[in-house]
Amino acid sequence: MADLTASGERNAVPAPGIANAASQLGSGPSLLLRGVCKAFADVQAVDGLDLEVARGECFGLLGPNGAGKTTTIEICEGLTVPEAGSVQVLGLNWSTGADELRQRIGIQLQETQFPDKLTVEETLRLFRSFFKRGISVDESIETAQLEEKRRSRVGGLSGGQKQRLAMACALVGDPELLYLDEPTTGLDPQARRHLWDLVDGLKQAGRTIILTTHYMEEAERLCDRVAIMDHGRVIALGTPQQLIGTVGGEDIVEFAVSSGDPAAGQDRGHGVVDPALLTAIPGVQSHRVDAGLHQLSVSELHLVVPRIFAALTSQGLHLSEFRTHSATLEDVFVGLTGRNLRDE
């Protein structure tokens, strides 16, 4: 995997206890869901969900608000009881193996409230006391790159440092399975890359990681496989590369048009584009419109762009916006759900 750090940043090196984790794990799937259902009043949050996550896999779960993603994660964590279906975590189920499972998993919530007056070291000693076995406080501090903040009070930490502390607390029990719920939401780019470093080190150590995120780039870089959920079901599943391949083209062309010439002060609002004229262009795989912005999935970008210009000119239309980018998971998500991941 490519180096995820910005120039000058150091790579996170897992502590010895973390690095040796892969040799301790079993062979069955870390997570297995079959026919899981959960409803709240008249809302079917999870609808017959099947999901399997292999040992040592970093698995991303993506979905807009209301897709059932949060409920699914809470069921996997043992916080919510499903109405139907079966859930196996590390070969156990929550109804009979809850005590053992709590010793074998780690959870980082989207936002964790720590006592402000405790130091980083005191907080980690508290969390370490909850587990029968685990790594040392020193190892967890080193893994989370918090050595310089060991004796700092939690109330004085930055947002990124608090997130790394939450990660350290999730790791102190030496978990086989780690749940990370939007671990970088609200962080600045440097802090986000520090967390990426840490997750990448855990991946290399063979940890199983369930990651939810609102950042498509994060999912593309960190996840071995990704599931996209909507309306309580998985609507797409595969590696990021496989899902991006379903877009139909290597690149995305986005443009908006007007019926006058903006350069001549003749902008008369949005023009009407004949979709058939666009989809007939060789190299155009698909076409959709979102709030006046046309999006084309294309191959052979260098040949297609001049043909698009010619097609628009033939209709007396002028470009008011035009841009291109390589196909991404964001394009997959928009194509499947009709909305952006971060739409609230």
Side-chain angles (χ1 to χ4, degrees):
M1 179 176 175
D3 182 15
L4 299 180
T5 63
S7 176
E9 292 181 3
R10 61 173 178 160
N11 287 324
V13 179
I18 298 293
N20 293 330
S23 62
Q24 303 170 9
L25 304 182
S27 57
S30 286
L31 188 63
L32 183 63
L33 279 64
R34 289 289 182 261
V36 173
C37 296
K38 181 66 178 181
F40 298 97
D42 58 346
V43 176
Q44 189 69 40
V46 182
D47 188 11
L49 184 65
D50 294 331
L51 204 60
E52 183 171 338
V53 178
R55 302 257 176 163
E57 184 176 25
C58 183
F59 188 88
L61 192 61
L62 308 179
N65 287 346
K69 173 179 60 97
T70 298
T71 302
T72 298
I73 290 296
E74 289 179 349
I75 289 172
C76 295
E77 294 171 341
L79 301 176
T80 298
V81 179
E83 296 166 350
S86 62
V87 179
Q88 287 191 353
V89 182
L90 301 174
L92 303 171
N93 62 72
W94 283 104
S95 61
T96 60
D99 289 343
E100 181 177 347
L101 281 173
R102 290 190 183 101
Q103 294 292 317
R104 297 173 63 185
I105 68 171
I107 300 174
Q108 180 186 3
L109 303 175
Q110 184 176 347
E111 184 177 354
T112 305
Q113 298 294 330
F114 297 110
D116 285 345
K117 300 302 182 182
L118 292 182
T119 66
V120 167
E121 183 175 0
E122 289 168 342
T123 301
L124 284 166
R125 290 195 184 282
L126 173 64
F127 274 77
R128 178 63 183 86
S129 70
F130 301 153
F131 298 94
K132 298 176 183 177
R133 57 176 294 275
I135 64 175
S136 70
V137 170
D138 289 342
E139 287 176 320
S140 63
I141 288 175
E142 180 183 354
T143 301
Q145 300 181 21
L146 288 169
E147 297 97 324
E148 295 180 358
K149 296 295 180 178
R150 173 189 290 268
R151 293 177 177 82
S152 298
R153 296 190 187 279
V154 171
L157 300 180
S158 68
Q161 290 163 350
K162 287 181 180 178
Q163 288 289 68
R164 278 186 277 151
L165 175 58
M167 182 80 78
C169 290
L171 292 172
V172 77
D174 197 20
E176 299 171 42
L177 173 61
L178 187 62
Y179 295 97
L180 303 179
D181 187 7
E182 299 183 20
T184 64
T185 295
L187 299 186
D188 62 57
Q190 183 179 19
R192 183 172 297 128
R193 287 179 178 272
H194 272 299
L195 263 296
W196 286 358
D197 253 0
L198 181 50
V199 174
D200 191 39
L202 295 168
K203 279 182 57 179
Q204 294 176 21
R207 297 289 179 188
T208 304
I209 300 171
I210 310 296
L211 173 71
T212 68
T213 179
H214 272 174
Y215 298 101
M216 286 298 189
E217 181 186 10
E218 188 164 280
E220 285 185 41
R221 293 198 180 205
L222 296 179
C223 295
D224 299 308
R225 286 192 304 147
V226 169
I228 297 177
M229 288 189 68
D230 203 13
H231 302 297
R233 293 178 174 270
V234 171
I235 59 175
L237 176 66
T239 68
Q241 294 74 22
Q242 288 171 336
L243 294 181
I244 291 170
T246 66
V247 172
E250 301 171 357
D251 295 281
I252 303 297
V253 173
E254 297 180 333
F255 65 86
V257 298
S258 63
S259 54
D261 185 355
Q266 300 174 349
D267 189 355
R268 306 187 197 113
H270 294 298
V272 178
V273 179
D274 182 0
L277 200 60
L278 294 175
T279 54
I281 297 174
V284 173
Q285 308 297 326
S286 65
H287 168 253
R288 66 184 299 272
V289 184
D290 182 15
L293 187 67
H294 295 263
Q295 298 176 331
L296 301 176
S297 172
V298 308
S299 56
E300 298 185 302
L301 181 67
H302 64 294
L303 297 177
V304 173
V305 167
R307 295 167 183 162
I308 294 173
F309 289 164
L312 296 176
T313 300
S314 71
Q315 298 181 70
L317 299 171
H318 299 269
L319 290 167
S320 57
E321 294 181 52
F322 188 87
R323 53 183 172 269
T324 68
H325 64 265
S326 298
T328 66
L329 272 180
E330 185 78 30
D331 300 303
V332 177
F333 191 91
V334 171
L336 289 171
T337 68
R339 47 189 161 160
N340 290 313
L341 183 60
R342 295 191 62 80
D343 283 349
E344 299 294 345

